[in-house]
Amino acid sequence: MSLICLHGAGGSSNFWKLQREAFQPRYPVLAVDLPGHGENSQPALETVEKMAETSYASILKYKPHRPILVGFSLGGAIAIQLLLDHPAFFSGAVLIATGAKLRVLPEILELVRNDYSRYLEVKAHLSISPATDPELIRFVMDDAKKCDPIVVEKDFIACQQFDARERLKQIVTPTLIISAQDDQLTPPRFGRFLAENIPRSTFHIIDRAGHFVCIERAARVNQHISDFLHFLERDQ
């Protein structure tokens, strides 16, 4: 099996470095840079549907064996869209700190447009639990500083427009859903709604973690993913 990792708004494939370290070489990890992010110089997009389309084209080039989608936040929305668009292609999916509809506070969009430095400060504050050492996410925030504010704005526009709530029951792929107890951006009720509506799903809430749960509590997230992969291996 191969892990196909999709990052969140304003991020890049670097977000997944702790998962790369944990799962390679047993499970090849392909961390995708969305258009306009990281090493992907293509023009940024502003709908989840278009992001899913370009991500699928990138994934096909690698011809992954039994691909497992792993999507965080906006990347989770893209993963949901891919599961709906290509139900037979993916062997499993992991949806982390995400939802079927993603709302963005108007104040956040305003900061992205007019005071990007202040936005980054707010992002760092809102994205972690009070129990988390901010130093843990320094590499993510350093990466975010490199992202063009126009790209981040398009990411958030895509989040605002996305709404898959009425289609979740169409997802036939085994799915692991992970939420974080202290997540202020995509709170646990978002994950619970996914679990209640995706037929073949398993749901976990991780305490003492915020939106960046993949980093804040990497060992626990990775253990849940590992258990899920073992389940898929037994079930094949």
Side-chain angles (χ1 to χ4, degrees), residues 17-54:
K17 78 170 190 174
L18 299 180
Q19 283 64 49
R20 278 198 183 106
E21 293 170 0
F23 291 104
Q24 287 182 322
R26 180 173 182 183
Y27 300 105
V29 177
L30 168 62
V32 176
D33 278 322
L34 297 175
H37 301 73
E39 300 299 319
N40 190 333
S41 60
Q42 295 178 357
L45 304 171
E46 55 186 40
T47 71
V48 167
E49 291 80 5
K50 289 180 180 177
M51 292 176 182
E53 183 180 337
T54 60

Side-chain angles (χ1 to χ4, degrees), residues 134-149:
E135 283 299 307
L136 281 178
I137 66 163
R138 179 180 291 277
F139 76 95
V140 176
M141 297 311 301
D142 286 345
D143 210 35
K145 292 175 184 177
K146 302 173 187 175
C147 195
D148 189 327

Side-chain angles (χ1 to χ4, degrees), residues 46-49 101-102 156-163:
E46 55 186 40
T47 71
V48 167
E49 291 80 5
K101 180 172 175 58
L102 300 175
F156 285 148
I157 290 171
C159 288
Q160 289 278 52
Q161 295 176 346
F162 180 70
D163 188 350

Side-chain angles (χ1 to χ4, degrees), residues 55 70 99 205:
S55 297
V70 184
I205 299 178

